[in-house]
Amino acid sequence: MAHATSAPPTSSAGNPFGYFDLDAAGKAKGLFQLVREDGTPVDEAALAGLDRALARKLFEGMLRIRVTDARMMALQRQGRIGFYGEAMGQEAAVVGSAAATLPEDWIVPALREAGVGLYRGMTLDSYIAQIFGNSADPTKGRQMPCHPCDREHNYVVMSSCVSTQIPHAVGIALAMKIQGHGGRACFGYMGDGGTSEGDFHVALNFAGVTRAPCVLICQNNQWAISTPGSVQTASETIAQKGLAYGIESLRADGNDALAVYHAVAHAAEKARRGDGPTFIELLTYRVSAHSSSDDPSRYRDEKVTEVWRGRRDPIQRLEALLRARGWLDAGEREAMAERLETDVRDAIARQEAVAPPDLATLVDDVYEQPTWLLREQLAAVAQGPRVKSPHKH
Ligand SMILES: Cc1ncc(C[n+]2csc(CCOP(=O)(O)OP(=O)(O)O)c2C)c(N)n1
Ligand SMILES: [Mg+2]
């Protein structure tokens, strides 16, 4: 199986950008890679025009996710937040794709794309307020933890029900087309497990036939909780599932931030100029547990995980490339990580001090005005015994 957990990412392409000229099956079954695991370019010439500022921004975005996830997991283990899901090992897929979005695009995430929101400008304070579910949380403490949204940056709240978000993404893209909003695209994310759901097939069919301006991105991290890719699907690659729906389908090394960026930029530019949808499989690995409620050592060989945590680490790969070009000084990663960590700690301190939402707001927004039944229920709840809040306020 192409997505067996032991399969190393390899590139067959001598000229990496020539990958986009392959035939439909070649793109869906190949693997677009620009930088090897050790940080050396697959083809020097292909990276000749690489922008220093973009490469450093990708690096910083990836490090921000790594540092933020580690702090949030520590909070969960300390009992200060209820739940968290990390994106460890998938930072290149998250940030590389985020960098190919424009402010006017829309993002419809799955489980592990909070870093896309942060890259687009969601503040750490808003993100962390939503994880605490405090009164500064724009969703008023009613959303599940780790389901952030950011209206200002067109970042739609994550859907808990696997794959229900993909038809939403295609629908938003179709609305853009009908309303004549050219020059923008909708990005819909999913996991490998998500591609086994009916909604995935409905959405791809709809995208293919309407030529909606969307970029549908599957982060194939090779696990759906405890289900490995090998028993998830008999399809040789996930990308090739898009071909049946008449959609150009790409497959890229999801741990190569630059390959991800260029594959997604290719698709985004195509959508924005009105040339229809693209489906992209990003091959990566879920180095972390599924969530703070999961223990992967119960169902997988963590020796494999160590390989992805070690020499296949996406941050290390870009770091090696930056260092070789003289674009990252010795000690700069550590200094950057320290600064990012201070940002996260400061935001946590601010948000942990914010009071929880007022109980009186509990039934707001269900209807324009609360019905008598809701008012009666709220009054009963207000009179009931209360667990003493550990909160300072
Ligand atoms: C419709 C539905 N079925 C099952 C679940 C439970 N569930 C939550 S995440 C998940 C696995 C998702 O795997 P994948 O799509 O590969 O995403 P990943 O967690 O690997 O990022 C499952 C089965 C759910 N939330 N919704
Ligand atoms: Mg998965």
Side-chain angles (χ1 to χ4, degrees):
M1 298 291 288
H3 40 260
T5 52
S6 55
T10 53
S11 175
S12 51
N15 169 14
F17 282 93
Y19 165 86
F20 293 110
D21 300 325
L22 295 175
D23 64 12
K27 280 182 280 198
K29 292 187 183 184
L31 193 77
F32 177 49
Q33 187 187 56
L34 289 173
V35 181
R36 297 190 194 91
E37 262 170 42
D38 63 2
T40 56
V42 172
D43 180 340
E44 278 289 349
L47 285 185
L50 179 61
D51 181 55
R52 178 184 186 272
L54 172 70
R56 281 180 56 97
K57 199 168 173 220
L58 290 173
F59 182 72
E60 183 173 340
M62 290 162 70
L63 208 52
R64 176 177 289 111
I65 298 176
R66 182 73 56 92
V67 165
T68 305
D69 279 358
R71 280 313 310 151
M72 299 319 289
M73 276 304 291
L75 287 198
Q76 199 280 335
R77 294 304 189 228
Q78 292 161 6
R80 290 156 71 189
I81 59 172
F83 174 84
Y84 198 73
E86 296 175 82
M88 191 193 282
Q90 299 180 221
E91 294 91 346
V94 173
V95 171
S97 59
T101 69
L102 292 178
E104 57 271 32
D105 293 331
W106 278 71
I107 313 300
V108 184
L111 286 88
R112 304 194 194 275
E113 286 85 23
V116 177
L118 291 171
Y119 193 91
R120 287 171 63 79
M122 173 167 54
T123 64
L124 273 174
D125 275 273
S126 175
Y127 179 51
I128 294 170
Q130 294 180 65
I131 293 170
F132 279 117
N134 64 22
S135 53
D137 167 1
T139 59
K140 306 182 185 179
R142 296 172 192 163
Q143 189 51 273
M144 302 254 298
C146 260
H147 288 51
C149 63
D150 187 15
R151 189 184 285 268
E152 200 189 329
H153 299 98
N154 299 346
Y155 184 84
V156 177
V157 73
M158 177 201 133
S159 163
S160 247
C161 305
V162 169
S163 282
T164 51
Q165 77 282 3
I166 316 173
H168 300 164
V170 176
I172 290 170
L174 184 56
M176 289 171 173
K177 185 174 171 175
I178 292 169
Q179 293 176 346
H181 292 167
R184 51 174 79 181
C186 183
F187 292 68
Y189 287 86
M190 71 207 76
D192 43 299
T195 68
S196 301
E197 290 280 350
D199 276 343
F200 165 81
H201 298 276
V202 169
L204 264 78
N205 186 61
F206 208 58
V209 81
T210 62
R211 313 306 296 156
C214 54
V215 181
L216 301 173
I217 301 172
C218 173
Q219 285 205 59
N220 178 5
N221 64 9
Q222 309 192 41
W223 291 92
I225 312 187
S226 56
T227 304
S230 54
V231 300
Q232 182 71 248
T233 176
S235 185
E236 190 184 335
T237 70
I238 286 189
Q240 75 183 42
K241 295 188 187 193
L243 298 180
Y245 299 104
I247 297 177
E248 182 188 18
S249 300
L250 314 177
R251 190 161 180 268
D253 182 340
N255 282 20
D256 174 353
L258 296 174
V260 173
Y261 170 75
H262 284 289
V264 178
H266 165 89
E269 282 156 22
K270 189 180 98 183
R272 292 189 197 111
R273 65 173 183 263
D275 287 341
T278 309
F279 178 48
I280 307 177
E281 172 187 354
L282 300 176
L283 185 64
T284 179
Y285 199 79
R286 196 197 74 209
V287 169
S288 65
H290 173 73
S291 72
S292 53
S293 314
D294 176 44
D295 173 8
S297 68
R298 303 275 297 266
Y299 55 79
R300 72 180 184 187
D301 180 358
E302 293 292 27
K303 283 203 216 73
V304 175
T305 311
E306 285 314 312
V307 176
W308 290 87
R309 191 194 300 278
R311 66 181 163 83
R312 288 194 194 145
D313 178 66
I315 299 183
Q316 187 179 294
R317 187 184 312 194
L318 189 56
E319 181 180 3
L321 183 94
L322 291 175
R323 298 275 234 132
R325 295 188 167 223
W327 290 356
L328 193 75
D329 297 337
E332 211 181 338
R333 172 178 175 156
E334 290 70 23
M336 208 183 257
E338 211 170 293
R339 181 170 46 74
L340 294 168
E341 170 111 19
T342 303
D343 289 350
V344 178
R345 285 180 183 272
D346 289 353
I348 290 170
R350 282 191 295 271
Q351 293 306 322
E352 205 167 14
V354 173
D358 195 326
L359 187 62
T361 65
L362 188 66
V363 299
D364 285 0
D365 309 320
V366 180
Y367 299 104
E368 192 179 7
Q369 294 295 328
T371 59
W372 66 266
L373 189 57
L374 286 175
R375 284 199 304 272
E376 194 177 277
Q377 288 174 357
L378 181 62
V381 170
Q383 277 164 19
R386 304 239 60 79
V387 176
K388 200 174 166 344
S389 167
H391 206 273
K392 298 179 192 79
H393 294 262

